[in-house]
């Protein structure tokens, strides 16, 4: 017999939560939202009037049938290429139906999913919550200040799981402080104002397009027409910390208008009803460069116009984001054309999406006069030098860096020259220079990458429906322009490891990378603007304005001497550090066998480090290859 002490006892009542339902998988839509198709819309209202506390207050009415409902907060953010939805800034979530509160439960695996039981008789779930803008840069990108704000709809929205974003209709509205102006690709349905605030009601549209249509608003605002009289309007909408930063000269405006004309000559077709550059000039509002099909978010320092001659390098931002209307938004990699914002993105073609956009952004900046062609050569020199000394290329191919937005999420890293970090942008631009010059050479200068751009991106004029592409599509389009083994050409460059940077395109363009003991005026101005002392190509380090070593080149002279980041330089050869003193000491090494002695502090430890370096100052620039065709100047010449 079984001993009674081991008899099975009745189970105690369970208070464990009910099992979670699986998160519904969206079905891919075959159409974009058409207003003639009636559908119950999500009614979404964002109150952005509390700029004093930097709070967005949100109300949302979500059509729902009785039963299980899963609401999603967007995780995979278009343009960020990774799972970067700011879930930690969502707060105060309360749900209700028919006036009664509903309890929600977060999915234990998918943190971006919220489960709720919709009671019988209910047809709508009401949601109230806040989006908390960071109030300090240590908390994330600041999206609201006392002078301006940005509404990114993916950060403001919950949506029902199981439906494609293109099949979900949203009726959005926005409350702003009284007197503020705003800009967006959205169409306005109505406006109403009170002494303290104003409400803007936008036309209903699908969730996919809403998320692709942010709003910038500000106290100090200017709108510049970049294509006067055109049937398809283009505006540069500028918000600033103060009114004086808004003042643009006629010459500055003309260069931005030239940018648009050069883009039209390059691509031909347009994929927007109107295009709005959203440009914030601020010391407080977070810097940004994010693409959308009919607009772009751009954030730089206040001197964009007022310190025009000092900020030339920043002027590649707008051409880059504009190019994305064609490359990345209209034509986008198939793995980026996901049905909703919680389906993982596939990034393997970011060297086209971002790399070719980086190339065209540079080219359009030069062709329009936003950046002088000679200075654009300096930018190419800086890019070529950066990758030519990058030891990380020896173990990690550029193709693999397309995974960095997922692996690293754009967090700072300690050894970027060894780890690598989203190099599909700049190294990708070198690859596309290689392709461009190869087409020119193979075709006897009759064709170029311009022909590819028009044939691949400049199709279906007026369409805003994404047209996905694959690697094979890119290869086929290149072969249609100029027959060649483009698959092998590209794979060799994408999967290769060096040594050195992919510089064949520069050589075929008629230029080579050299080093001089003084920087070009353009790169000197960029160093002054960034307040960094860049000694990468001599000592193998760069120094922030406070003396901190912000980057140390893996296996360079400073690395071999034992230096790393989070170290502060205090003295050079026994004298208090200044950039000028250190540069003089480096230059003196060419005629002296003595090392450079650096007094540094790391944490509470002080140390004198000897750098046995004798190469003098080294700064990259391009030099013409005698007897060759200057294809680079032809590429950068205005059309």
């Amino acid at each position: 017999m079984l001993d009674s002490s081991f008899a099975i006892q009745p189970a105690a009542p369970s208070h464990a939560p009910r099992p979670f339902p699986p998160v519904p998988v969206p079905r891919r839509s075959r159409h974009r939202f058409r207003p003639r198709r009636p559908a119950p819309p999500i009614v979404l209202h964002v109150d952005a009037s509390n700029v004093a506390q930097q709070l967005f207050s949100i109300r949302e009415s979500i059509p729902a049938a009785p039963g299980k409902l899963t609401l999603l907060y967007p995780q995979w953010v278009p343009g960020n290429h990774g799972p970067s939805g700011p879930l930690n800034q969502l707060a105060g979530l309360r749900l209700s139906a028919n006036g009664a509160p509903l309890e929600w439960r977060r999915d234990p695996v998918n943190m971006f999913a919220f489960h709720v039981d919709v009671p019988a008789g209910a047809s709508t779930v009401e949601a109230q919550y806040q989006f908390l803008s960071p109030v300090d840069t240590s908390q994330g990108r600041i999206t609201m200040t006392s002078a301006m704000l940005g509404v990114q709809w993916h950060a403001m929205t919950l949506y029902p799981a199981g439906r494609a974003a293109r099949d979900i209709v949203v009726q959005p509205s926005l409350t702003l402080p009284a007197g503020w102006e705003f800009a967006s690709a959205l169409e306005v349905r109505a406006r109403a104002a009170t002494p303290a605030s104003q409400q803007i009601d936008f036309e209903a549209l699908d969730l996919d397009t809403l998320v692709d249509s942010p709003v910038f608003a500000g106290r100090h605002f200017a709108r510049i027409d970049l294509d006067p009289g055109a049937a398809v309007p283009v505006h540069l909408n500028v918000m600033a910390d103060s009114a004086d930063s808004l003042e643009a000269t006629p010459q500055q405006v003309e260069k931005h208008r030239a940018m648009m004309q050069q883009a039209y000559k390059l691509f031909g077709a347009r994929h927007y009803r109107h295009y709005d550059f959203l440009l914030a000039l601020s010391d407080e509002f977070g810097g940004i460069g994010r693409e959308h099909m009919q607009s772009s978010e751009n954030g730089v320092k206040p001197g964009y116009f007022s310190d025009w001659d000092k900020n030339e390098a920043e002027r590649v931002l707008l051409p880059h984001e504009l190019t994305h209307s064609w490359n990345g938004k209209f034509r986008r990699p198939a793995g980026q054309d996901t049905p909703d914002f919680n389906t993982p993105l596939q990034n393997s073609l970011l060297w086209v999406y971002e790399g070719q956009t980086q190339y065209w952004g540079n080219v359009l900046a030069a062709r329009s006069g936003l950046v002088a062609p000679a200075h654009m050569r300096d930018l190419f020199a800086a890019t070529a030098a950066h990758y030519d000394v990058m030891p990380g290329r020896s173990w990690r191919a550029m193709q693999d860096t397309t995974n960095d937005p997922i692996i690293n999420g754009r967090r700072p890293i300690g050894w970027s020259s060894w780890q690598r970090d989203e190099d599909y942008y700049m190294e990708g631009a070198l690859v596309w220079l290689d392709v461009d010059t190869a087409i020119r050479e193979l075709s006897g200068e009759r064709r170029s990458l311009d022909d590819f751009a028009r044939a691949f991106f400049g199709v279906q004029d007026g369409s805003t429906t994404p047209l996905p592409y694959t690697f094979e599509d890119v290869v086929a389009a290149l072969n249609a322009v100029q027959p060649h083994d483009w698959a092998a050409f590209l794979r060799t460059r994408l999967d290769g490891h060096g040594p050195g940077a992919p510089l064949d395109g520069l050589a075929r363009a008629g230029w080579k990378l050299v080093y001089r003991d003084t920087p070009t005026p353009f790169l000197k101005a960029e160093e002054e603007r960034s307040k960094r002392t860049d000694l990468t190509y001599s000592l193998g380090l760069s120094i922030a304005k406070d003396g901190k070593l912000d980057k140390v080149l893996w296996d360079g002279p400073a690395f071999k001497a034992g230096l790393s980041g989070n170290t502060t330089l205090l003295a050079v050869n026994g004298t208090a550090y200044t950039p000028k003193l250190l540069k003089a000491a480096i230059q003196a090494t060419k005629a002296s066998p003595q090392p450079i002695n650096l007094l540094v502090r790391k944490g509470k430890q002080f140390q004198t480090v000897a750098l046995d370096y004798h190469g003098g100052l080294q700064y990259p620039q391009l030099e013409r290859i005698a007897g060759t065709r200057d294809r680079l100047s032809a590429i950068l010449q205005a059309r």
Side-chain angles (χ1 to χ4, degrees), residues 425-438:
Y425 278 91
M426 302 301 293
E427 188 175 332
L430 291 179
V431 169
W432 287 106
L433 174 65
D434 203 353
V435 173
D436 196 351
T437 55

Side-chain angles (χ1 to χ4, degrees), residues 585-634:
I586 295 171
Q587 196 65 358
T589 63
K590 297 179 72 174
S592 171
Q594 300 301 315
I596 301 172
N597 292 303
L598 304 180
L599 176 64
V600 300
R601 183 185 72 236
K602 186 169 185 178
K604 296 181 179 180
Q605 302 297 315
F606 292 78
Q607 180 184 9
T608 297
V609 177
L611 270 67
D612 192 18
Y613 171 79
H614 302 280
L617 291 167
Q618 299 284 320
Y619 295 99
Q621 57 184 272
L622 296 186
E623 182 180 275
R624 280 283 288 124
I625 302 173
T628 62
R629 181 185 292 271
D630 184 2
R631 292 190 176 98
L632 184 56
S633 294

Side-chain angles (χ1 to χ4, degrees), residues 384 387-395 427 496-504:
Y387 292 109
D388 205 40
V389 303
M390 176 179 282
R393 297 189 77 252
S394 67
W395 73 272
E427 188 175 332
H497 296 284
L503 301 183
D504 290 351

Side-chain angles (χ1 to χ4, degrees), residues 259 262-263 266-267 316 318-324 326-327 352-368 376 380 425 428-429 432-433 436 439-440 448-454 456-457 635-636 639:
M259 170 186 65
Q262 291 298 321
L266 176 63
F267 296 114
V316 299
L318 295 187
H320 177 102
E321 302 305 339
L322 173 65
T323 297
H324 272 314
W326 289 270
N327 182 16
V352 186
Y353 181 134
E354 294 289 5
Q356 193 175 150
T357 294
Q358 187 72 35
Y359 180 69
W360 286 130
N362 290 349
V363 168
L364 290 175
R367 289 181 182 178
S368 64
M376 187 54 66
F380 274 108
Y425 278 91
W432 287 106
L433 174 65
D436 196 351
I439 293 173
R440 291 167 187 265
S448 71
L449 196 63
D450 290 51
D451 297 288
F452 170 87
R454 181 173 286 267
F456 196 69
F457 302 115
I635 289 169
L636 301 179
R639 298 304 187 249

Side-chain angles (χ1 to χ4, degrees), residues 391 536 538-540 552-561:
T536 300
S538 53
L539 298 187
V552 175
L553 179 67
W554 186 273
D555 214 26
F559 177 92
K560 291 177 179 177

